[in-house]
Amino acid sequence: MSVSQQQQAQLSSKERSLFAQTVKHYEQKQYKKGLKCAEQILRKHPKHGDTQAMKALIINSQGNTDEAFVLCKEALKNAMKSHVCWHVYGLLWRCIKNYEEAIKAYKFALKLEPDSQQILRDLALLQIQMRDYQGYIQSRRAILQSKSPSGHKNSNFRQNWTGLAVAQHLAGDLYDAERTLTTFEETLRSTPPKTDTDHSEALLYKNTLIAETGETERALEHLEALFNSNLDRTAVMEMRAQYLLQLDRREEAEKAYRALVDRNAEYRAYYDGLRKAMSIADSDTLSLKTLYDEYAKKNPRGDTAKRVPLDFLHGEEFREAADQYLQQMLHKGVPSTFANIKALYSDPAKRETIQTLAEGYLTGTHKPLANGSAEKQVNGDGKTEEKKPSFEVSVLYFLAQHYNYHLSRDLERAMELINRAIEMQPEEVNHHMTQARIWKHRGNLQRASETMEKARSLDERDRYINTKAAKYQLRNNENEAAITNMGKFTRKEAVGGPLGDLIDMQCMWYVTEDGEAYQRQGKPGIALKRFTTVYDIFETWQEDQFDFHTFSLRKGQIRAYIDMLRWEDHLREHPYFSRAAISAVKIYTGLSGGPESNGVNGEHKGMDTNERKKAQKKARKAQEKQDQAEAEKKDAQKTASVGADGEVKKPDSDPRGTKLLQTKEPLEDAMKFLTPLLEYSPKNLEAQQVGFEVFVRRKKFILALRCLLAARSIDASHPLNHVQSIHLRHALKSLPEPLSPKVAEVIESELSPLIPQDADLLKLNSDFLANNNESAAHVHAYLRTRQLLDASTADGNQKDVIRTLALPSVSLEDALRGYELLNEWRAQARYRDDYVAAAHERWPEATAFMTKEGEPAMGQKDTAKDGPLAPRPKPAGNPVFRMMGLPNLRFKLPSRNWLIFLSITGSFTTAVIYDRYQKKKAQQRWCNLVSHIAKEPLLSTQMPRRITIFLSAPPGDSLRAAREHFHEYVKPVLVAGALDWDVIEGRREGDVRAGLAEKIRKRRRKSGEKLAGETEGEAQEEEEGDLVQQLRDSAGIKDWEGVQGFLVLGRHTWKEYVRGLHEGWLGPLEPLREPSQASPSPLDTPLIPHEQPSLADDAAQEPISTSTSDAIKPTPDASSTDSENQQTKDEKEKPKEKPKQPTQAPPYISPKAYPSAPLAPSAPAVLSPSTVLPFPHLLGFLNTPIRIYRSLNRRRLADETGREVAALVLASHIRAWNTDTEFASSADPDASPSNTTQSLADAADVVTTRQRWEQEGVLEEEEKDWHKSAWQDGPGGEERVWKEQMVLDSRIGERMRRFELGADDEEKARNDVGVDPAAMGFWEGVKNWVGWEEDRSVKGWEHGLVEDESE
């Protein structure tokens, strides 16, 4: 996407480059960077349409679609003739799936920019997505005739020709599609190699085009030409065999199909083709059997040639073939034997034969075959028929499945057989699975779930049995147990847990079963949420076509692409969509019934008024509690909201479907599911029936009649058709106003043959019952119709529903539908209890007719042979505690081990809390001592006092440790005294030394000292460089006239500080170098001071930039843009290297040169005073006991540090550093060269006395704790400041001063109690005693650089 010419004229070269970067960042999904570039352009050109459009596109990608549309429309107003704006406008419409508007926007953009390849491709994608084949042909032809951005003709690329051919094919122009492919083949200068898969696929696709035209002879000739060269050998052989059979060339077709059968003897379609080629009729069983026997001998281990004859054989021939097949499979122990032959059960004679044979195997009455071929077959373990238990178990397993099948069902016999099989092989998973299925058919879903869970535990690594266990748990409404099982095979790091991963993986069976389980539990909100998820999955599949429109053409998979498009056209015929859509429509239909239905997710279904009110109140409380728990769970999982693809996933704002239930137009929402359901599944009876209910409620009687007629055409005898027919006639009679004449005429022309307009509906209903009084389903339909026509019969209808359980033909499914009917009518509790009792008496094992505790409704015990039902739950404890909401706790003394554990942890916790409390008190004392300074007034023309702080990373650790130490011990006192500060940091050894020395050298140059060869103009220019100071001078703002001061943290920093003082005041302004060497830039210094904001800024908690890498980089101006772009281009051409750290400036002077070095003329008589703070830092696992001891005595460190910092803040007592005398050798390099009595040339081995400065011994004990790396030699013989002994020159040492706390101030602080518990509330006192701090957020320069933490 490039900027339009009209908009391009408004931008400079730099801004055009920024626009290109904006587009690049959008394509790379770097939205924040792209937004930043767009805003830079809009600052200068706020009405630049193309930039506004790109910003809208980025905002839309961030999820703000409404804001993006507003901004894009503003861009169109500012640049109506910009193809970029119209293109973006189309992209926004496409994002909300309004493809018609998107196509309009694309076409308008093409008028403005006809040669835009990107717009053409986007338009073509939408046209094929919308199945606008004629428009797609035009777009593909335009793409073919245009040129690519690189200047090449698109006609040179195969995929553009193939795309045009596909468009013509889908539009029905088969000859044009073939001609397009032929034209491309003629443009090829050389024949593609045989290994060219794209060419091979294109030839086969062309052959299918010829075949679809009906010219089979020409298709065969074309196929023969590529028969030996095409790579898809199987497809070529199949197509050739089909063509030969269609042309009635039987002998050639027979050879072709025999070649296919030899290639794959298990594919049944090949046998069907071979039978047709050999002209064998279906009634010629002898020829068919001869054919299959031939291939059974050729392939003795195959199954198809032995199984297919069972379909057409009858009588004794079938008995012999079935006997041989069954014995062979059962001896082998093949678990799928019953699944292979159950299709034969539609023939009762064959079903009886199979049962007789299997029972004969079990009882031993059936003799083996005369030839014994079946008996001698080996089983799966390679053992012969001598192992009788294996064959017997196989027979038991087969018969159990046989009697469990609905066409031969005998559940008692099936349970007996499977129990015997389990006794013989208790660890066989398939046996337990079959037992679970038997329990399910007996209605005991609880036992079925438990049995399937037991089967899962026998093989926990099998995903299939894990899935079956979860499915049975869902059928038993055990949603939590099911998701726990499914979580064993989902990604642990998935957003949303196992359920989120299942939704991401589009596991529709689970989502559908989960929704149906919640629907049965009377929780329509969550159920509707699951059904909507299934709907979204199919929407995703529809959207996924966009990926294949270009991928398939690029990869040359044309035939598969055509098949995919045709499959997508019937996508919503899928059974899972039908199930989810029907269930969702039923829920929405129920919501439209009245305000009670549109309530909270609860279980007040089928209750009277008082019970419902109580249940709703209880449900609301439970809902609030659950919502609160889910909100806390969401907060805890906010850090894991990134998916596997790296994209941030939005949290689900409605996990329980509450918003879906609160819809004001449930019937309109139901149409979202119903419209595709009726369009793609018109033969689904239940879909037509739920469609009728929706349309009747919406007063769309013609549509309701159409659904009724469609349902009657599918199954005219279905009981619900009777109910809906009378319902429609009753609704038409009950209308307050008559329908329009044309509508009434249409309805009557179709409805009157079913129910005359003047018919007596009650009489019709009675006649219906008289004709179907033995069917429970028809009786339910009669009662439903009577309830509709006469509401006063409600009590009688409910009693009659109970009486239907006495019908001889009633089944468990009929009983369940009867109970649902009572709930739908909201029957009284006594009727529902009577119904459950009667149903339990007839089906004692059915879970649906048991109480929630798992016991039978009438107090009867379960008499199943396989054990009792699930045990009763444990008592809930003291009822008083239950009413108070307290758990059932049993108070008892802890054990010995617990006492030891609690004693140790309690003692340690107490020590930590006590130390924190005392540390807080100590710090508060020193803060109170200096707090009066913060209250002193400060003139508006006066700068506050500003000290300089020196921090350095301790040996063996990062700078973070020093920053945290400063934040914890030093900063509270500085803030209490309202001091500002600059910071000089060091991430590595020598940084503080280099930073301080450079700061002093700048001060010397500012005082008038010049570099070698520097002119007056250059010196004046450098002096004028400090713009901030010039602005302050022009405004009359004066610096602090009192003492400033330095604060140094730790012995290692103190050594660098002293060394930096000497280098700055004794060393030259520039390093000594060879004439050929270039002068090092002052920017090579890794660190410069960072200014701390004023007290007001600190109180506002504004962040302060402390990135040293940003600080040392010069700010780019407009004049340097071109050079920077050229430099960036050169850098991109170079190979990528690991970024190097800033170079540290070497020392300008060594300690040996101190005596001979002159003191700087601008050196003050007294240097600014300093204070050194302790920084104990010990590393190493073996030092853990010492570190624990120190962590429990932080109060002493806080007291000592607070005392020194308070002395610096008060600045009331300043003294010089002391000296003492010691013996040393003047030749010792560690001795101070300024204090020797002889010159270095003739002072070898002469023992002299020297002065030892107090500065040298400050915090000297800390060196014992330093990491061993501090004592190693530097690489290449470099100097180590930490390792060497401190050297002081008398001219510097005597100028140094230190802060000291006066006796009066110290006494005042010691008398301060620190934290006054009486001045704070109870909880504040507890927090203070425990040591909790209110705000530990790090601000400003204390954030540091990202790379600091990795060093």
Side-chain angles (χ1 to χ4, degrees):
M1 186 179 294
S2 60
V3 64
S4 59
Q5 294 181 357
Q6 181 180 3
Q7 295 285 300
Q8 187 175 2
Q10 303 178 11
L11 301 180
S12 63
S13 59
K14 179 179 178 181
E15 291 159 352
R16 287 198 296 270
S17 176
L18 280 175
F19 185 85
Q21 292 180 19
T22 303
V23 177
K24 181 179 179 182
H25 289 321
Y26 167 74
E27 293 173 348
Q28 296 177 351
K29 297 185 178 181
Q30 298 177 349
Y31 301 130
K32 291 184 179 179
K33 292 182 180 179
L35 202 59
K36 185 176 180 181
C37 293
E39 289 174 349
Q40 290 181 14
I41 300 175
L42 292 176
R43 288 193 192 102
K44 293 186 178 180
H45 305 278
K47 293 187 177 182
H48 189 257
D50 288 1
T51 307
Q52 288 178 322
M54 283 306 304
K55 182 179 179 181
L57 198 57
I58 295 174
I59 291 175
N60 177 70
S61 300
Q62 293 177 331
N64 302 321
T65 305
D66 295 337
E67 184 180 351
F69 265 101
V70 173
L71 185 58
C72 188
K73 290 178 181 178
E74 184 69 23
L76 285 172
K77 292 180 181 178
N78 297 328
M80 182 63 71
K81 294 185 178 181
S82 169
H83 71 276
V84 174
C85 297
W86 284 103
H87 190 190
V88 171
Y89 193 54
L91 291 175
L92 294 180
W93 281 117
R94 172 182 162 176
C95 287
I96 63 173
K97 302 177 183 178
N98 192 335
Y99 300 136
E100 291 83 0
E101 293 295 330
I103 290 176
K104 292 179 184 177
Y106 286 158
K107 288 182 177 179
F108 200 91
L110 273 179
K111 292 180 181 179
L112 300 173
E113 189 69 17
D115 298 330
S116 176
Q117 292 291 303
Q118 185 62 46
I119 300 176
L120 272 174
R121 285 194 294 268
D122 289 346
L123 176 61
L125 287 178
L126 280 184
Q127 287 170 334
I128 185 61
Q129 183 77 6
M130 297 294 294
R131 303 301 190 262
D132 179 12
Y133 297 130
Q134 297 301 327
Y136 187 50
I137 292 175
Q138 296 177 7
S139 299
R140 296 307 309 187
R141 183 174 284 113
I143 293 174
L144 181 64
Q145 296 173 352
S146 62
K147 292 185 178 180
S148 64
S150 59
H152 299 288
K153 292 183 178 179
N154 284 333
S155 58
N156 295 336
F157 299 101
R158 178 189 293 273
Q159 64 181 17
N160 294 321
W161 290 91
T162 307
L164 178 58
V166 169
Q168 293 166 337
H169 178 199
L170 295 174
D173 301 332
L174 300 178
Y175 290 102
D176 290 342
E178 180 192 352
R179 192 177 304 112
T180 299
L181 295 177
T182 305
T183 304
F184 174 73
E185 293 173 6
E186 293 173 352
T187 61
L188 297 176
R189 298 179 180 177
S190 60
T191 304
K194 292 183 179 180
T195 56
D196 189 344
T197 57
D198 292 350
H199 183 66
S200 176
E201 178 67 21
L203 290 177
L204 280 182
Y205 174 59
K206 180 180 178 181
N207 188 265
T208 59
L209 290 176
I210 299 174
E212 288 186 19
T213 61
E215 300 182 23
T216 309
E217 186 70 37
R218 189 162 65 92
L220 180 60
E221 293 176 359
H222 180 266
L223 190 65
E224 294 284 3
L226 55 91
F227 184 81
N228 295 323
S229 60
N230 199 274
L231 298 178
D232 194 347
R233 189 69 177 172
T234 303
V236 171
M237 294 176 67
E238 290 178 348
M239 294 166 68
R240 182 174 179 273
Q242 292 173 6
Y243 295 160
L244 289 172
L245 187 60
Q246 291 174 10
L247 294 173
D248 203 24
R249 294 160 63 172
R250 302 283 178 170
E251 294 182 1
E252 296 178 74
E254 179 183 350
K255 293 180 181 180
Y257 275 111
R258 285 188 180 275
L260 286 170
V261 173
D262 293 338
R263 189 179 183 91
N264 183 3
E266 297 299 320
Y267 190 28
R268 189 163 182 170
Y270 293 163
Y271 290 98
D272 294 338
L274 178 58
R275 179 181 57 81
K276 293 178 182 177
M278 295 177 67
S279 303
I280 301 176
D282 294 340
S283 58
D284 190 357
T285 58
L286 181 59
S287 300
L288 289 174
K289 189 174 187 303
T290 303
L291 173 64
Y292 284 104
D293 288 345
E294 174 188 350
Y295 281 100
K297 292 178 181 179
K298 287 183 180 181
N299 186 22
R301 301 185 63 180
D303 180 73
T304 303
K306 302 171 185 176
R307 166 62 185 84
V308 174
L310 299 179
D311 292 336
F312 57 81
L313 293 177
H314 298 278
E316 190 61 29
E317 291 181 341
F318 173 80
R319 180 183 179 86
E320 292 179 2
D323 185 18
Q324 184 174 355
Y325 183 78
L326 287 176
Q327 289 201 46
Q328 179 182 355
M329 301 297 283
L330 295 176
H331 273 288
K332 287 182 178 180
V334 179
S336 60
T337 303
F338 180 78
N340 288 346
I341 68 166
K342 66 181 181 181
L344 303 172
Y345 280 37
S346 57
D347 187 341
K350 292 183 179 181
R351 183 171 68 241
E352 291 296 329
T353 301
I354 293 173
Q355 179 175 331
T356 303
L357 289 173
E359 288 286 1
Y361 301 152
L362 186 62
T363 59
T365 58
H366 180 70
K367 299 290 185 179
L369 294 180
N371 56 12
S373 60
E375 284 188 314
K376 294 180 181 179
Q377 295 291 337
V378 295
N379 60 17
D381 299 329
K383 299 179 181 180
T384 61
E385 50 85 24
E386 294 178 358
K387 189 176 179 182
K388 296 295 184 181
S390 176
F391 178 74
E392 183 181 357
V393 169
S394 298
V395 174
L396 290 171
Y397 177 57
F398 176 84
L399 280 174
Q401 296 177 87
H402 167 82
Y403 287 114
N404 188 44
Y405 193 55
H406 68 96
L407 294 177
S408 55
R409 181 158 294 171
D410 185 351
L411 297 179
E412 294 295 333
R413 176 66 172 162
M415 183 64 73
E416 175 189 351
L417 294 170
I418 199 62
N419 286 339
R420 289 173 57 186
I422 292 176
E423 289 177 1
M424 299 178 69
Q425 288 185 353
E427 301 298 324
E428 177 59 42
V429 175
N430 291 320
H431 297 169
H432 291 278
M433 293 176 64
T434 302
Q435 188 184 47
R437 293 189 185 99
I438 297 172
W439 279 119
K440 178 186 71 172
H441 293 146
R442 295 175 71 167
N444 198 334
L445 300 180
Q446 177 67 31
R447 291 298 297 271
S449 174
E450 293 173 358
T451 306
M452 193 64 77
E453 175 65 17
K454 182 179 180 181
R456 185 201 63 81
S457 65
L458 296 176
D459 190 357
E460 295 184 350
R461 297 184 179 182
D462 191 332
R463 186 189 294 267
Y464 171 74
I465 181 58
N466 183 82
T467 300
K468 293 296 290 185
K471 186 174 183 179
Y472 272 61
Q473 288 167 337
L474 289 175
R475 295 286 176 87
N476 193 40
N477 301 335
E478 301 176 62
N479 301 77
E480 294 299 327
I483 195 61
T484 302
N485 269 344
M486 295 300 294
K488 294 179 172 64
F489 287 89
T490 57
R491 293 181 297 114
K492 303 300 180 185
E493 69 279 4
V495 179
L499 180 60
D501 189 47
L502 291 172
I503 294 175
D504 289 342
M505 295 295 104
Q506 299 177 342
C507 186
M508 287 192 300
W509 75 264
Y510 181 85
V511 180
T512 306
E513 292 283 354
D514 196 36
E516 291 174 350
Y518 280 118
Q519 187 178 17
R520 287 191 297 269
Q521 297 172 50
K523 298 180 179 179
I526 308 180
L528 204 54
K529 185 74 175 179
R530 299 292 184 266
F531 299 142
T532 305
T533 301
V534 176
Y535 180 89
D536 294 339
I537 289 175
F538 280 89
E539 284 291 310
T540 302
W541 287 0
Q542 190 78 21
E543 291 295 311
D544 286 345
Q545 292 183 76
F546 280 111
D547 299 330
F548 291 95
H549 294 321
T550 55
F551 172 82
S552 299
L553 296 179
R554 188 172 68 252
K555 294 297 183 181
Q557 303 298 322
I558 313 303
R559 291 179 298 153
Y561 174 61
I562 296 295
D563 293 340
M564 185 271 294
L565 291 179
R566 291 171 176 171
W567 174 79
E568 287 277 2
D569 291 340
H570 303 277
L571 175 64
R572 288 176 176 80
E573 292 179 5
H574 198 284
Y576 278 121
F577 181 82
S578 300
R579 285 176 59 182
I582 290 171
S583 299
V585 171
K586 287 182 178 179
I587 293 176
Y588 280 123
T589 306
L591 294 179
S592 67
E596 306 94 77
S597 302
N598 198 0
V600 203
N601 263 342
E603 297 179 352
H604 50 274
K605 186 177 179 181
M607 300 180 180
D608 56 24
T609 306
N610 294 330
E611 290 177 337
R612 191 178 303 114
K613 288 182 179 180
K614 293 180 180 178
Q616 288 176 346
K617 184 177 180 180
K618 183 178 179 181
R620 279 194 297 270
K621 292 182 178 180
Q623 179 72 25
E624 293 173 358
K625 186 176 181 181
Q626 188 165 1
D627 290 344
Q628 182 179 0
E630 288 181 356
E632 294 174 355
K633 187 176 180 181
K634 280 185 186 178
D635 293 339
Q637 294 179 350
K638 278 185 179 178
T639 56
S641 59
V642 180
D645 53 357
E647 295 186 1
V648 178
K649 297 192 175 183
K650 295 182 179 179
D652 190 356
S653 59
D654 186 25
R656 298 184 59 80
T658 307
K659 295 181 181 178
L660 295 174
L661 280 182
Q662 293 173 351
T663 176
K664 296 181 179 179
E665 297 180 348
L667 295 178
E668 294 296 329
D669 294 340
M671 291 303 299
K672 181 180 74 171
F673 293 89
L674 184 61
T675 301
L677 180 65
L678 295 177
E679 179 180 356
Y680 295 105
S681 301
K683 297 299 183 181
N684 190 314
L685 176 62
E686 194 172 6
Q688 299 294 342
Q689 291 171 347
V690 297
F692 173 87
E693 298 294 338
V694 172
F695 290 132
V696 163
R697 285 167 171 77
R698 296 185 64 200
K699 309 299 182 184
K700 306 290 184 181
F701 296 112
I702 292 182
L703 296 177
L705 178 60
R706 187 175 68 176
C707 289
L708 176 62
L709 295 176
R712 295 181 68 89
S713 65
I714 297 171
D715 184 3
S717 62
H718 195 278
L720 195 57
N721 292 338
H722 166 74
V723 179
Q724 293 184 344
S725 299
I726 294 183
H727 186 184
L728 180 59
R729 175 59 71 188
H730 179 68
L732 292 173
K733 288 183 176 181
S734 305
L735 288 176
E737 296 180 1
L739 297 173
S740 63
K742 292 184 178 181
V743 174
E745 180 182 358
V746 171
I747 293 177
E748 291 302 330
S749 63
E750 298 291 340
L751 185 60
S752 295
L754 301 178
I755 301 179
Q757 188 173 5
D758 55 350
D760 186 353
L761 300 182
L762 290 175
K763 184 177 183 304
L764 285 176
N765 193 36
S766 300
D767 295 341
F768 175 80
L769 176 63
N771 297 328
N772 304 279
N773 56 4
E774 296 298 327
S775 170
H778 289 78
V779 173
H780 291 161
Y782 162 77
L783 296 175
R784 190 188 295 269
T785 306
R786 191 170 70 175
Q787 178 82 6
L788 173 69
L789 298 175
D790 187 2
S792 61
T793 60
D795 286 346
N797 294 334
Q798 295 170 18
K799 294 178 182 178
D800 289 342
V801 170
I802 301 175
R803 294 190 185 100
T804 59
L805 295 175
L807 294 174
S809 62
V810 68
S811 64
L812 179 59
E813 290 74 15
D814 294 332
L816 293 174
R817 283 193 288 268
Y819 190 68
E820 291 177 359
L821 183 59
L822 289 177
N823 288 331
E824 180 182 341
W825 287 343
R826 296 186 176 88
Q828 299 179 21
R830 59 190 180 92
Y831 291 128
R832 286 186 283 110
D833 292 343
D834 292 344
Y835 188 92
V836 169
H840 175 73
E841 185 176 356
R842 184 159 185 174
W843 295 280
E845 295 175 348
T847 307
F849 304 122
M850 295 183 182
T851 60
K852 293 183 179 180
E853 290 78 9
E855 290 296 328
M858 300 302 292
Q860 300 176 7
K861 297 292 182 180
D862 187 12
T863 58
K865 297 181 180 180
D866 292 339
L869 289 170
R872 288 176 176 269
K874 294 183 179 180
N878 194 318
V880 178
F881 287 168
R882 286 205 313 273
M883 295 177 65
M884 297 173 63
L886 297 177
N888 184 22
L889 300 177
R890 294 180 59 190
F891 300 100
K892 62 179 181 179
L893 290 176
S895 63
R896 171 180 171 273
N897 293 338
W898 271 107
L899 286 174
I900 295 173
F901 171 76
L902 294 175
S903 299
I904 295 175
T905 55
S907 301
F908 187 82
T909 304
T910 303
V912 172
I913 293 175
Y914 174 77
D915 182 68
R916 285 187 178 183
Y917 175 67
Q918 293 297 331
K919 170 192 161 189
K920 188 93 172 182
K921 285 183 62 177
Q923 284 185 336
Q924 191 63 42
R925 282 200 301 269
W926 301 114
C927 291
N928 293 341
L929 182 63
V930 301
S931 60
H932 67 278
I933 300 178
K935 301 176 183 178
E936 295 178 359
L938 184 68
L939 298 177
S940 60
T941 58
Q942 178 72 45
M943 290 293 294
R945 181 185 173 194
R946 184 184 298 272
I947 66 172
T948 303
I949 299 172
F950 296 89
L951 298 180
S952 181
D957 209 340
S958 65
L959 184 60
R960 171 178 285 190
R963 290 174 174 168
E964 291 178 349
H965 186 85
F966 169 83
H967 179 84
E968 186 173 0
Y969 295 99
V970 183
K971 183 180 176 182
V973 184
L974 295 180
V975 173
L979 257 67
D980 287 354
W981 60 81
D982 294 337
V983 180
I984 294 183
E985 293 181 336
R987 289 180 292 173
R988 50 186 172 172
E989 182 179 358
D991 284 355
V992 171
R993 185 267 313 159
L996 176 59
E998 179 63 24
K999 186 175 182 179
I1000 295 174
R1001 285 192 290 268
K1002 287 183 180 179
R1003 178 177 174 182
R1004 288 169 59 185
R1005 289 194 292 270
K1006 188 176 180 181
S1007 300
E1009 297 188 43
K1010 301 177 182 177
L1011 298 173
E1014 185 180 25
T1015 63
E1016 290 290 343
E1018 293 174 349
Q1020 181 67 21
E1021 183 180 354
E1022 181 177 355
E1023 184 176 351
E1024 292 176 356
D1026 193 353
L1027 298 178
V1028 176
Q1029 186 61 39
Q1030 292 180 13
L1031 292 174
R1032 289 175 180 172
D1033 294 341
S1034 62
I1037 299 176
K1038 299 180 181 179
D1039 291 335
W1040 181 265
E1041 297 179 354
V1043 177
Q1044 300 283 8
F1046 296 139
L1047 188 149
V1048 185
L1049 192 62
R1051 168 76 174 179
H1052 60 292
T1053 312
W1054 175 246
K1055 276 191 168 185
E1056 294 193 44
Y1057 169 79
V1058 173
R1059 181 68 182 277
L1061 284 179
H1062 286 76
E1063 182 179 343
W1065 293 115
L1066 298 181
L1069 291 177
E1070 57 183 349
L1072 299 176
R1073 61 190 182 279
E1074 297 295 334
S1076 61
Q1077 293 178 346
S1079 175
S1081 172
L1083 296 178
D1084 290 337
T1085 305
L1087 298 162
I1088 66 170
H1090 307 279
E1091 294 188 358
Q1092 173 71 11
S1094 64
L1095 184 61
D1097 294 336
D1098 186 76
Q1101 296 184 359
E1102 295 181 357
I1104 305 163
S1105 176
T1106 64
S1107 175
T1108 57
S1109 60
D1110 293 340
I1112 65 175
K1113 291 181 181 178
T1115 304
D1117 53 11
S1119 62
S1120 63
T1121 304
D1122 296 335
S1123 62
E1124 287 180 353
N1125 293 338
Q1126 182 64 29
Q1127 182 180 0
T1128 305
K1129 183 178 180 181
D1130 295 340
E1131 290 176 356
K1132 290 181 178 178
E1133 294 176 356
K1134 296 180 181 179
K1136 294 184 178 180
E1137 299 178 356
K1138 186 178 180 180
K1140 299 180 179 180
Q1141 295 183 353
T1143 305
Q1144 186 184 105
Y1148 286 19
I1149 187 174
S1150 65
K1152 295 181 180 180
Y1154 288 173
S1156 58
L1159 183 66
S1162 58
V1166 176
L1167 297 177
S1168 184
S1170 59
T1171 185
V1172 190
L1173 302 181
F1175 183 21
H1177 191 71
L1178 185 63
L1179 299 176
F1181 176 75
L1182 298 179
N1183 295 321
T1184 301
I1186 302 176
R1187 295 169 66 183
I1188 293 176
Y1189 173 79
R1190 290 183 179 179
S1191 67
L1192 297 177
N1193 289 275
R1194 294 184 178 183
R1195 57 188 182 277
R1196 297 188 176 91
L1197 179 60
D1199 186 64
E1200 181 181 356
T1201 303
R1203 182 182 182 279
E1204 296 297 332
V1205 178
L1208 179 143
V1209 175
L1210 294 173
S1212 56
H1213 292 77
I1214 301 174
R1215 67 169 178 84
W1217 292 85
N1218 298 326
T1219 60
D1220 56 5
T1221 303
E1222 67 174 14
F1223 293 96
S1225 171
S1226 61
D1228 186 359
D1230 293 336
S1232 175
S1234 63
N1235 295 299
T1236 56
T1237 58
Q1238 298 176 347
S1239 65
L1240 293 174
D1242 56 3
D1245 299 329
V1246 178
V1247 178
T1248 63
T1249 61
R1250 77 173 183 91
Q1251 290 179 333
R1252 175 176 171 82
W1253 293 88
E1254 182 184 359
Q1255 295 95 311
E1256 299 180 45
V1258 173
L1259 302 179
E1260 196 168 10
E1261 66 277 2
E1262 287 188 5
E1263 295 187 5
K1264 300 176 183 178
D1265 296 342
W1266 285 358
H1267 193 261
K1268 60 183 179 181
S1269 60
W1271 306 106
Q1272 296 174 356
D1273 295 333
E1278 294 181 2
E1279 182 184 5
R1280 298 292 303 273
V1281 179
W1282 295 346
K1283 178 183 176 183
E1284 305 298 336
Q1285 185 174 349
M1286 188 183 297
V1287 178
L1288 276 87
D1289 187 88
S1290 59
R1291 292 168 292 178
I1292 300 299
E1294 66 189 9
R1295 283 175 167 79
M1296 295 177 66
R1297 297 292 184 271
R1298 71 171 299 176
F1299 293 103
E1300 196 173 58
L1301 192 65
D1304 296 340
D1305 293 330
E1306 185 164 5
E1307 183 179 0
K1308 180 181 178 182
R1310 297 301 179 190
N1311 293 332
D1312 190 353
V1313 297
V1315 182
D1316 186 9
M1320 59 180 65
F1322 173 75
W1323 289 113
E1324 287 75 8
V1326 172
K1327 291 181 181 179
N1328 177 72
W1329 186 81
V1330 172
W1332 289 343
E1333 298 189 16
E1334 297 177 358
D1335 185 14
R1336 291 301 303 268
S1337 60
V1338 181
K1339 311 178 187 66
W1341 61 271
E1342 299 167 53
H1343 283 287
L1345 302 174
V1346 175
E1347 54 266 25
D1348 292 344
E1349 316 306 334
S1350 61
E1351 294 180 355

